[in-house]
Amino acid sequence: MFVKEATKITLCPQETASPPCRPGSEAIKQGIRRNFVKRAASYDRHARVQRFMAWELLAQTAPIVNKAHHILEVGCGTGYLTAALRRLNPHANLLALDLDAALLARARRRLPPDPHLAWVVADGELPPSRDVNLIISNSTFQWFTHPETTISLYFQSLKKCGCLAFSTLGPGTFGELAAALRQAGNLLNINRIPSIPASAFLTATDWARILQQAGFPAIHLQRLPLSLAFPTVPDFLQSLQATGATNPQPRPFSAKLYKTMVAAYQDLFRQNGAITVTYEVILAVAGK
Ligand SMILES: C[S@@+](CC[C@H](N)C(=O)[O-])C[C@H]1O[C@@H](n2cnc3c(N)ncnc32)[C@H](O)[C@@H]1O
């Protein structure tokens, strides 16, 4: 089902320019929170890619999770990764945080009561604990509004020899949707077509640079492009909506643009009765 093609990222000495700045504002975070909580009930059923990302992240970090005494999980959502972390290490002090209390309540129901597991409603860009052995996060960092400062704070929050491990999505995600929108914009003579949030996600090279600038001496990054097949474009968009991973600041979209975009998508990316959807998964493990 998944096409997996791993690419190792190495930093070139000439790539020293600052990564693109992402607009940071409370309004964006509130939009992210609202989107995810609205879809909390359907998230688990549709989060195929997020589960794949969690497995890959755990495959890379299981020995580190196993040995950690204090773990901070950022953006725990409905608790899929939290439960897996607990199975791998039943004794660690585990702090799981998310922007939204209703998501945490759902995650809490997934796990048995546990005196060493704390659930905290907080913005993960302001880490609440220090002296942590492991900061871990699945499919959340693409929503950060000021990643450079956040990764620096993580570096400071980690103990000596601590580790930051995360999976995120890169700007290649939903490349077909972006191309279909451009094509529809051209056909309808619309100059400013709505952009998709994924186009502004950071690249693996951006993350490598941010981790390096924060002070991490050992950085391992991987890009794993995945292709999923959906019967139709509306099926894909409904499934995406059911995970809550949609635009935190949606712009109005006319019915005509939508129809033209769907037709363009099917024209360009339909094969053997299904449309292709690409996800660019990025995995990072950085040691202090
Ligand atoms: C795609 S879901 C992933 C949830 C979970 N990690 C999983 O693997 O299923 C992204 C989660 O990150 C949370 N999130 C996004 N930005 C956040 C932030 N700045 N601080 C804390 N949580 C955040 C959202 O509320 C949402 O629950």
Side-chain angles (χ1 to χ4, degrees), residues 29 32 36 43 50 73-77 80 97-99 103 122-125 138-140 143-144:
K29 277 197 208 273
I32 293 167
F36 280 109
Y43 177 85
Q50 289 79 1
E73 186 197 348
V74 177
C76 66
Y80 182 76
L97 70 78
D98 200 279
L99 282 175
L103 287 165
D123 181 354
E125 294 205 72
N138 187 46
S139 191
T140 296
W143 298 113
F144 279 178

Side-chain angles (χ1 to χ4, degrees), residues 22-33 36 72-77 95-101 103-104 119-129 135-137 140-151 153-154 157:
R22 303 186 67 204
S25 88
E26 198 44 38
I28 296 179
K29 277 197 208 273
Q30 285 310 321
I32 293 167
R33 191 191 62 72
F36 280 109
L72 167 64
E73 186 197 348
V74 177
C76 66
L95 194 156
L97 70 78
D98 200 279
L99 282 175
D100 192 84
L103 287 165
L104 284 179
W119 303 99
V120 176
V121 181
D123 181 354
E125 294 205 72
L126 300 165
S129 43
I135 299 177
I136 191 161
S137 180
T140 296
F141 285 18
Q142 67 273 16
W143 298 113
F144 279 178
T145 54
H146 42 278
E148 290 89 350
T149 315
T150 306
I151 300 298
L153 291 173
Y154 288 171
S157 300

Side-chain angles (χ1 to χ4, degrees), residues 166-170 202-204 207 221-223 280-284:
F166 62 93
S167 67
T168 187
L169 293 169
L202 297 178
T203 65
W207 283 112
L221 270 153
Q222 265 184 299
R223 263 186 73 241
E280 183 189 4
V281 174
I282 298 172
L283 283 178

Side-chain angles (χ1 to χ4, degrees), residues 30-285:
Q30 285 310 321
I32 293 167
R33 191 191 62 72
R34 258 197 318 273
N35 283 348
F36 280 109
V37 76
K38 206 157 73 186
R39 305 297 174 179
S42 51
Y43 177 85
D44 286 330
R45 244 176 308 127
H46 291 269
R48 277 199 288 171
V49 171
Q50 289 79 1
R51 281 199 297 275
F52 168 82
M53 291 164 80
W55 298 332
E56 289 290 330
L57 185 61
L58 289 171
Q60 304 258 336
T61 54
I64 304 168
V65 173
N66 220 263
K67 278 196 266 166
H69 295 296
H70 294 274
I71 302 175
L72 167 64
E73 186 197 348
V74 177
C76 66
T78 59
Y80 182 76
L81 182 69
T82 324
L85 291 171
R86 219 14 160 192
R87 281 194 295 275
L88 269 174
N89 184 337
H91 306 296
N93 286 310
L94 176 55
L95 194 156
L97 70 78
D98 200 279
L99 282 175
D100 192 84
L103 287 165
L104 284 179
R106 206 165 258 278
R108 192 194 283 264
R109 288 201 291 275
R110 192 173 208 141
L111 282 97
D114 180 339
H116 301 293
L117 170 55
W119 303 99
V120 176
V121 181
D123 181 354
E125 294 205 72
L126 300 165
S129 43
R130 294 192 70 83
D131 292 336
V132 180
N133 304 105
L134 172 65
I135 299 177
I136 191 161
S137 180
N138 187 46
S139 191
T140 296
F141 285 18
Q142 67 273 16
W143 298 113
F144 279 178
T145 54
H146 42 278
E148 290 89 350
T149 315
T150 306
I151 300 298
S152 256
L153 291 173
Y154 288 171
F155 184 78
Q156 291 159 33
S157 300
L158 283 168
K159 276 191 164 172
K160 194 162 173 259
C161 300
C163 175
L164 167 64
F166 62 93
S167 67
T168 187
L169 293 169
T173 303
F174 309 147
E176 298 87 355
L177 182 60
L181 262 172
R182 274 195 305 274
Q183 169 117 328
N186 288 341
L187 287 170
L188 298 175
N189 259 326
I190 302 173
N191 290 333
R192 293 195 54 219
I193 47 157
S195 62
I196 60 167
S199 303
F201 290 166
L202 297 178
T203 65
T205 310
D206 291 331
W207 283 112
R209 194 181 293 110
I210 289 172
L211 289 161
Q212 205 175 48
Q213 282 170 354
F216 285 97
I219 300 166
H220 178 79
L221 270 153
Q222 265 184 299
R223 263 186 73 241
L224 305 171
L226 301 181
S227 283
L228 259 64
F230 285 84
T232 64
V233 177
D235 285 324
F236 155 53
L237 294 176
Q238 275 158 25
S239 168
L240 181 64
Q241 218 161 41
T243 65
T246 48
N247 197 338
Q249 296 190 304
R251 279 182 50 195
F253 216 91
S254 74
K256 195 167 173 192
L257 178 58
Y258 177 79
K259 249 176 94 175
T260 313
M261 180 279 288
V262 170
Y265 200 129
Q266 310 217 141
D267 247 23
L268 294 168
F269 304 108
R270 194 174 167 85
Q271 260 184 348
N272 306 323
I275 60 131
T276 306
V277 178
T278 297
Y279 287 78
E280 183 189 4
V281 174
I282 298 172
L283 283 178
V285 180

